Amino acid sequence: MSGLSARAGLAVLLAMIVCSASPAPAQQDSAVLFRNVKIFDGNHATLSAASNVLVRGGKIEKISTADIAATGQMIDGGGRVLMPGLIDAHWHAMLVRPTPMAALGDVGYNNLLAASEATATLMRGFTTIRDMGGPSFGLKRAIDEDLVAGPRIYPSGAIITITGGHGDFRQLTDLPRTIGGMLSRMELIGGSLVADSPDEVRVRAREQLMQGASQVKLTAGGGVASPFSPLDVSTFTEPELRAAVEAADNWGTYVATHAYTPVAIQRSIAAGVRCIEHGHLMDEASAKLMAEKGIWLSTQPFLDMSAAAALGPSEQDKMRQVVAGTDRVYALAKKYHLKTAFGTDVLFSQAMAERQGSMLAALTRWYTPAEALTMATSTNAELLSLSGPRNPYPGKLGVVEEGAFADLLLVDGNPLDNIALVEDPAKNFVVIMKGGKVYKNILPR
């Protein structure tokens, strides 16, 4: 074969590979018109007057109090509330249903399990999630190609940790680790990756970005679920954290760190991290620093030990410490006006996942219903936008506005008056739409 023919053949082969790797856009339904709805737009604490909303091409084309002429599907809202789809800013799509041991098991089964959970997540009204650790790239692609019904996924890829850090689920029999040697099971499946130097961190961060990560996740301190990770320890050094920040910055996106303690939080900020996950053990100085630097807090309303059922005694003790810090972290967030995102961080419990809406409603311990719903819609969407050019869904999320993605919930009742409605999505979310496609409609025909 001549050089020219060989190059032409290679070009065709590369084109075929790229086409097969690129997700095909889901087919959008034709125009859908919501008539006679009151709108919570994701930003304001009041509902609109009775309005009509036209959806076309996956986005909101027009909102008007006057009649809108359109052909296609018509949904009579009957004065119900139309609101943005909910967003969970700290979710683990691959780790909700399996046990810790099963998560390291059969990859095919675990992907099918995650697909089933993804559909359940969407049916709870969560149309977007930020995945904060786990091999969710394939699931995301299947959802984007409309092979599986599920939420939009902003993936982090594998959690990057250190030897003995949060996310290191190896057994002691796996030690000692040989640098550059064989990978452990958790690393082979892309759940988490051990990195013990700036160079290793840089490689692991770049690998996640290469696979399509919208942000990079590191564990800057100890965690609850990991058996060999005390809650008080600080893990990565500042140069190691900075290596990940530099890698992410080169790709136009950001690093979020799992951090409970003041040392983990402050070291992360010094390294350039833009979002702190959890923060339940933070002190006043850490909160003040976050406010001064404009650092995001992505935290969760852990109020009891319900999420600890699958954990051992030492892990449950760590969970008690976190629960004890919940009131304080929200008090500091309010005192210093921190940019605060809502997430649930459900692990290894389908029963807890079914309480996703209840965890959102629990925010009213510190916020008004309107503030809580705003946090789970437009505020969370603002955090997602930090991914810049790595944003897999560029456009407006978390709002009911012209030009925004048509991720919408029709609620039988007013959640601004009664946020408990989100606790029973099967009954109260009568229509669920994502990207202009109706996934649920239980209105009388």
Side-chain angles (χ1 to χ4, degrees), residues 11 34 39 56 64 77 88 122 147 159 256 309 356:
F34 289 90
I39 299 169
R56 196 193 310 272
S64 178
D88 192 318
L122 179 62
L147 302 177
I159 299 166
Q356 199 172 7

Side-chain angles (χ1 to χ4, degrees), residues 291 332-340:
L332 289 171
K334 293 191 71 176
K335 178 177 179 179
Y336 288 98
H337 306 287
L338 301 184
K339 295 186 288 187
T340 306

Side-chain angles (χ1 to χ4, degrees), residues 292-313:
E292 291 171 352
K293 300 289 186 179
I295 307 301
W296 277 86
L297 172 66
S298 170
T299 194
Q300 304 79 38
F302 296 140
L303 293 173
D304 56 43
M305 294 294 290
S306 302
L311 303 176

Side-chain angles (χ1 to χ4, degrees), residues 218-232:
L218 280 77
T219 58
V224 170
S226 302
F228 303 113
S229 174
L231 200 60
D232 62 295

Side-chain angles (χ1 to χ4, degrees), residues 1-12:
M1 180 181 290
S2 70
L4 179 61
S5 298
R7 286 195 296 273
L10 179 60
V12 171

